[in-house]
Amino acid sequence: MSCGEAISGPTAGATPSVVQEATAMKGIVLMLLCGALVASAVNLPGVPVDFEVDDKVLSAIADDVADRLAKEYLTYMNTGVETSAFKTLTSQLAKSHSQKDIFTRNLPELEPRDSFFVCVACRSVMRVFAKTIREEDGELHGEDSAVFMKKFAMDMCRRLKLQTEEVCEGLIDSNMPSVEYIMRNSEIDSQSFCSLFMEFSFCNTGSNQDYNWTLAVDSTGEAITGPKADTPQATGSDLKICHFSDIHHDPLYEPGSLASCAEPMCCQRNKDTVQGTSEAAGYWGDYRDCDLPWHSLESALDHAVATEKCDYVYQTGDIVDHMVWATSVEKNTGVLTKVSSRLNEAYPDVPIYPCIGNHEPHPLNLFSPEGVPDDVSTKWLYEHLYNDWSKWLPVETKETILKGGYYTVSPRQGFRIIALNSNDCYTDNFWLYHSGTDKIPQLQWFHDTLLAAEKAGEFVHILTHIPSGDGTCWSVWAREFNKCITRFRGTISGIFTGHSHKDELFVYYSDEGHATAVAWNGGAVTTYSDKNPDYRVYDISAKDFGVLDHRTYIFNLTEANLTPDKQPEWFLEYEFAKEFTEDTSPAGIDKLLDEFADNPQLMRKYWRFRVTSADPQINRGCDRNCLAGSLCRASVTINNQRERCEELRERLFLALDNEENTTPGDDDDDDDDGGASALGLLSLSSLLAVALSVRLTF
């Protein structure tokens, strides 16, 4: 519904129905909101009366509120006076968002009210920082501005009730040096910053041309005329690869401690007050926002070693836990070394090939380019990882690992592995906003390495933590990465990812819509959140190194925690070829997506395995939007190119409509991969309160 429709009212003579009454309630709230905006349209330059509520309205409101908030904060910083308008606005904003989700869910998965709040906070903070840091008379312009900057940030945390004092202070202390350096040494403005930070939402107001580069891709390859349909062929000497992803070991995990806390991660404290209650953390892990105890990782490795004899091991990142406010070089390096040593102990004679995740650095998510000062540089992490990884990798990998955390190696003739640092695309990596072009070198190296592999007749596996279609992967990077996948589709035999904590797959497409490659996501060994621990084993063709089949092993966390003195009962959850298809070529998996769309029962099976059959997920169920989101996620590898997703979604909804009985379930609480959330009445009411607080107090 647009503002014009809300203000003009319902069509004359329309007969009310239950649906119309519900729509009318939403329309009343929207009409009040639009009226507040239209009444002061002079404060919203360039925004017409007739605009869509999910797009220009939200962006305009957010920008207006952010501008008011930034101005009020600057006044407060200059005078120390808290105006009544300032108090009202910050009070309304503090009530408008959830406290935990904005820290624990990916930005594209947030509810509309949380997306609105984060957009406002992003734009207002960046405006304050830009003005006070870059302008000569700004309060933060001087070299001794750190104390003042922290004071401002902590004040905003308290006023807007972002998180606990401990979490805010920890995040501010760790991130402030890098943020200050980036702000002083870049020209990015609040609109561009927040458009990239929240790229797949209403907060994105358009692309910054400095961040829209293209990669030089070799043009000598064969023209693509159809999908890649070469099904991997089994031989008598096929390989097995074990895949462990997102271990997230928590060295402070305490069985019996509080599992439901205010912070982004729990299961560490208050054991004396909750032990023996339903709030207590389980011995083997917990479905709530908790990471992995050491004994659970050891159980996973012991079971894998005893169950499958693997020729190689892939570890696709995120060793460090989700205690994001309390990272340190000492803590992170200790966990990284402990886990790599345990992997080596489990597989002393098996080559292990790791890649880097977003949780590895201190501060969290921040991967600096070369040439920045040591106190904000990530080179310490690359040096440490090379020392840990050098027992598995040849010395030739040292140069690129130290340069940016990526490498290539050939384990045997005709076979090459390329391990990328996909944090170059991660929109939570603030160094992205320092310069978009410094993300080109690794991708160019990736392209050149693939070209050399093609000329040498090698088949390639790609290891990368963040899937390119993830909602937090920058679309320009993903677009250029996809160009490489299309160009070298004949050379690439498999892509192996992590990050999402989902047992899932992704199909890559050419610009013409032909399936070119498949990425296989290994799920996560951690239980964070609402999942059973899992690992995967792939059968790999010795002929072309394509994936023939894979098996996923899990244990049920509820059952395991009933007997803490016994090892968990790991079991084979499913075998892909038996449950879905033996044709694992890109064309075969693309056809499987069609079957998912036309057969909701098959899609529900895929969803169940995707969430590792975890009790909380199964109990909640998966409604039509949840199923569509899971299906869309499998068909999107560049997040702003969703044509295949929309086609599959439409077919799935038709199939669901034709079912006599659909599976009941609440609104998707798992993820929101399917697109922007519709604004509910509660969300509109929250926005109305904020908008009116701005209008009526200025």
Side-chain angles (χ1 to χ4, degrees), residues 278-394:
S278 61
E279 296 298 304
Y283 179 78
W284 293 104
D286 204 281
Y287 284 127
R288 288 161 286 194
D289 294 327
C290 304
D291 270 324
L292 199 70
W294 183 252
H295 47 269
S296 295
L297 172 59
E298 291 199 306
S299 178
L301 293 175
D302 290 345
H303 182 268
V305 169
T307 306
E308 300 268 8
K309 182 175 176 56
C310 288
D311 298 281
Y312 305 117
V313 172
Y314 290 167
Q315 199 288 309
T316 47
D318 271 9
I319 300 295
V320 178
D321 61 64
H322 287 83
M323 196 177 183
V324 298
W325 68 97
T327 60
S328 69
V329 172
E330 181 180 9
K331 177 186 175 184
N332 289 26
T333 54
V335 170
L336 289 166
T337 296
K338 184 178 182 180
V339 171
S340 68
S341 297
R342 186 64 181 85
L343 283 167
N344 196 56
E345 179 185 327
Y347 295 98
D349 302 315
V350 177
I352 299 175
Y353 299 105
C355 70
I356 194 168
N358 60 291
H359 277 262
E360 268 64 285
H362 166 75
L364 169 80
N365 299 330
L366 303 194
F367 293 82
S368 69
E370 292 185 290
V372 301
D374 287 350
D375 63 331
V376 293
S377 173
T378 319
K379 66 180 183 180
W380 66 268
L381 175 62
Y382 300 144
E383 291 169 354
H384 182 84
L385 288 176
Y386 177 72
N387 289 333
D388 277 355
W389 295 353
S390 59
K391 54 182 169 283
W392 306 313
L393 303 177

Side-chain angles (χ1 to χ4, degrees), residues 245-257:
S245 194
D246 294 79
I247 292 170
H248 290 292
H249 164 53
D250 177 12
L252 302 179
Y253 188 96
E254 183 67 33
S257 61

Side-chain angles (χ1 to χ4, degrees), residues 145-402:
S145 60
V147 174
F148 197 87
M149 186 180 290
K150 180 177 178 179
K151 182 180 178 182
F152 158 69
M154 286 299 298
D155 184 84
M156 176 167 274
C157 173
R158 296 184 188 107
R159 287 182 189 276
L160 302 186
K161 298 181 181 179
L162 297 179
Q163 248 294 336
T164 65
E165 189 96 354
E166 176 190 351
V167 171
C168 286
E169 187 165 21
L171 288 172
I172 290 166
D173 284 345
S174 62
N175 283 274
M176 197 60 72
S178 298
V179 171
E180 182 178 5
Y181 180 88
I182 292 167
M183 291 301 301
R184 292 187 189 280
N185 294 277
S186 72
E187 297 298 326
I188 194 166
D189 58 21
S190 64
Q191 295 294 99
S192 296
F193 181 101
C194 299
S195 289
L196 285 170
F197 185 58
M198 302 183 70
E199 186 178 12
F200 306 110
S201 76
F202 68 89
C203 204
N204 184 356
T205 58
S207 62
N208 183 324
Q209 289 307 307
D210 293 337
Y211 284 77
N212 193 22
W213 41 264
T214 57
L215 199 67
V217 177
D218 176 79
S219 60
T220 62
E222 293 183 6
I224 184 166
T225 58
K228 182 180 178 180
D230 304 324
T231 303
Q233 299 297 311
T235 71
S237 56
D238 293 328
L239 309 173
K240 287 185 181 181
I241 295 177
C242 284
H243 186 182
F244 301 93
S245 194
D246 294 79
I247 292 170
H248 290 292
H249 164 53
D250 177 12
L252 302 179
Y253 188 96
E254 183 67 33
S257 61
L258 180 62
S260 299
C261 64
E263 291 78 18
M265 192 181 79
C266 309
C267 295
Q268 296 178 334
R269 307 171 183 174
N270 304 113
K271 183 175 181 177
D272 55 336
T273 61
V274 299
Q275 191 170 22
T277 73
S278 61
E279 296 298 304
Y283 179 78
W284 293 104
D286 204 281
Y287 284 127
R288 288 161 286 194
D289 294 327
C290 304
D291 270 324
L292 199 70
W294 183 252
H295 47 269
S296 295
L297 172 59
E298 291 199 306
S299 178
L301 293 175
D302 290 345
H303 182 268
V305 169
T307 306
E308 300 268 8
K309 182 175 176 56
C310 288
D311 298 281
Y312 305 117
V313 172
Y314 290 167
Q315 199 288 309
T316 47
D318 271 9
I319 300 295
V320 178
D321 61 64
H322 287 83
M323 196 177 183
V324 298
W325 68 97
T327 60
S328 69
V329 172
E330 181 180 9
K331 177 186 175 184
N332 289 26
T333 54
V335 170
L336 289 166
T337 296
K338 184 178 182 180
V339 171
S340 68
S341 297
R342 186 64 181 85
L343 283 167
N344 196 56
E345 179 185 327
Y347 295 98
D349 302 315
V350 177
I352 299 175
Y353 299 105
C355 70
I356 194 168
N358 60 291
H359 277 262
E360 268 64 285
H362 166 75
L364 169 80
N365 299 330
L366 303 194
F367 293 82
S368 69
E370 292 185 290
V372 301
D374 287 350
D375 63 331
V376 293
S377 173
T378 319
K379 66 180 183 180
W380 66 268
L381 175 62
Y382 300 144
E383 291 169 354
H384 182 84
L385 288 176
Y386 177 72
N387 289 333
D388 277 355
W389 295 353
S390 59
K391 54 182 169 283
W392 306 313
L393 303 177
V395 68
E396 291 79 13
T397 62
K398 182 176 183 178
E399 180 182 354
T400 53
I401 291 174
L402 296 185

